[in-house]
Amino acid sequence: MHTTRIAIVGGGLAGLYAAYLLEQQGISDFVLLEGRDELGGRIASVTPEGKSAPGQQPEAFDMGPSWFWPGFQHALGALVESLGIVSFAQFETGDMLVERTLNGTPVRMQGFVNTPPSMRLKGGMSVLIEALRQRVDAQRIVTGQTVERLSFNGEAVELLSEDKGGLIQRYYADHVLLAVPPRLAEQRITFSPALPVSLAHQWRHTATWMAPHAKYVALFPTPFWREHGLSGEARSLIGPLGEIHDASDPSGHGALFGFFSVPASARKNSRENVLRQRCRDQLIRLFGPQAGTPVIDIIKDWAVEPLTATASDCQLGEHSTPPPASALEGPWQHRLTGIGSEWGQQYPGYLAGAIEAAERGVSGLLASGQLLSADR
């Protein structure tokens, strides 16, 4: 049994940033519980060998979110800068390709250029996770612990977590910050007493960004398409990739990545090697024979990740409207706050949404006086 003042459920960007903010305020009586063995949540980068890249890699490629926009996502941009992380603009120079029919020639047209530019991080988005992890007391972070139940006994919240071996751990906290998607929390965590009916309904119907998606990344010795005046961007009505972009490292491998347009339910019935070959065939149609022999290609299907997706997440969708982050009345009032990215008010589902939701959650605790104690 462990006691703590604040329990953070989830070790993705929101959870780690909340832990970072607490330590910045001199608050150390907290624990962060993450179900996966690695931190990052939906942020996942891989090395050129296809292995997980926890951060500080010479080059890495994102299988989760790839971009941020500091031109209008100011808090996230300021955080990246303050952590000393190198960013660079998404390559968008040249024409894009559009394929509408399987046997037709892809149409070449002027590409889109984002203003302000879409930015990426050198070494992949996982460098942001690693930079925050290094600034949080390692003794406050526990991985491999999936929270299964939250119970409020009138004085404290009891958290029951379970590891892969079935070992149960109990934590008691004054307040819980939920740094997981609302739908995942409502469907995977048992609340006792139950959440208010209206709140549970809103959480259950908030789509989890990335949950129904899958990404494909193919690495090449060089970004050869640029030699032909192509930006690497493509759109397809044929698939299996509906949207393709240049994912090259500025000083390393050339790379292309694409979002699958094939629904999660159909991907579930397809073997990965078959999907991979279909992606290669599509790249050949678009970029020529050279695109059919990548150094390595990787598929990441978020719909099969039990700590990201639920059965309700099988359909593609847009970013949802953020639901209420806490109960307005009843036993869970002042005890439970949602801080995952879907609770972000301006950018729900985006990386910037995780930053703003975490900031709001921590500042709310500070304003309420719940964190005014001797450990500050």
Side-chain angles (χ1 to χ4, degrees), residues 73-350:
Q73 296 174 341
H74 303 301
L76 178 54
L79 176 64
V80 168
E81 184 175 354
S82 70
L83 295 174
I85 298 173
V86 177
S87 63
F88 62 96
Q90 168 69 28
F91 183 83
E92 295 179 311
T93 303
D95 293 338
M96 66 178 292
L97 297 170
V98 177
E99 61 170 3
R100 296 186 174 90
T101 62
L102 184 59
N103 297 319
T105 301
V107 177
R108 181 167 176 158
M109 59 186 296
Q110 184 176 352
F112 298 108
V113 177
N114 281 281
T115 304
S118 305
M119 302 298 291
R120 293 169 53 200
L121 299 183
K122 176 65 176 173
M125 281 294 170
S126 288
V127 299
L128 178 56
I129 296 298
E130 178 64 14
L132 290 171
R133 185 198 65 79
Q134 291 179 357
R135 290 163 173 80
V136 175
D137 184 354
Q139 296 183 2
R140 303 295 172 187
I141 298 175
V142 184
T143 57
Q145 289 288 331
T146 302
V147 174
E148 304 283 353
R149 185 181 181 89
L150 296 180
S151 303
F152 180 57
N153 61 15
E155 295 183 358
V157 180
E158 180 188 55
L159 299 90
L160 265 64
S161 67
E162 184 175 354
D163 65 15
K164 292 180 179 178
L167 180 65
I168 301 294
Q169 295 281 352
R170 283 180 169 82
Y171 296 83
Y172 290 87
D174 294 330
H175 197 93
V176 175
L177 296 175
L178 278 177
V180 295
R183 175 179 283 169
L184 193 71
E186 194 276 334
Q187 296 197 14
R188 285 192 56 105
I189 299 176
T190 299
F191 293 87
S192 179
L195 294 172
V197 173
S198 61
L199 185 66
H201 179 271
Q202 290 176 85
W203 286 12
R204 183 167 58 252
H205 289 86
T206 300
T208 300
W209 186 241
M210 287 300 299
H213 291 274
K215 286 183 72 172
Y216 169 84
V217 174
L219 272 59
F220 303 91
T222 63
F224 60 86
W225 50 92
R226 298 181 184 180
E227 300 171 4
H228 306 291
L230 296 173
S231 66
E233 186 172 359
R235 299 290 186 275
S236 174
L237 299 178
I238 309 304
L241 304 175
E243 179 181 335
I244 298 171
H245 299 273
D246 188 306
S248 305
D249 183 271
S251 57
H253 287 83
L256 294 167
F257 91 82
F259 293 103
F260 278 85
S261 57
V262 179
S265 56
R267 298 196 305 268
K268 184 178 181 180
N269 299 319
S270 300
R271 294 194 304 273
E272 184 172 313
N273 65 323
V274 173
L275 283 175
R276 185 179 289 109
Q277 186 57 55
R278 288 186 62 197
C279 291
R280 292 181 181 183
D281 292 342
Q282 182 179 6
L283 294 187
I284 292 172
R285 294 197 307 267
L286 291 165
F287 300 102
Q290 199 170 352
T293 54
V295 175
I296 188 173
D297 53 354
I298 308 157
I299 292 174
K300 177 68 174 180
D301 194 334
W302 291 98
V304 300
E305 291 281 336
L307 296 180
T308 295
T310 71
S312 302
D313 290 307
C314 62
Q315 298 299 321
L316 297 179
E318 299 298 325
H319 294 278
S320 297
T321 300
S326 57
L328 298 179
E329 58 184 7
W332 289 109
Q333 187 181 20
H334 307 309
R335 296 289 179 174
L336 185 67
T337 304
I339 64 167
S341 63
E342 278 71 25
W343 278 292
Q345 294 300 303
Q346 282 189 288
Y347 307 107
Y350 289 96

Side-chain angles (χ1 to χ4, degrees), residues 47-90:
T47 67
E49 294 74 36
K51 298 179 181 180
S52 175
Q56 295 185 326
Q57 300 292 324
E59 57 175 324
F61 303 88
D62 291 310
M63 306 307 298
S66 301
W67 303 304
F68 72 110
W69 293 268
F72 51 85
Q73 296 174 341
H74 303 301
L76 178 54
L79 176 64
V80 168
E81 184 175 354
S82 70
L83 295 174
I85 298 173
V86 177
S87 63
F88 62 96
Q90 168 69 28

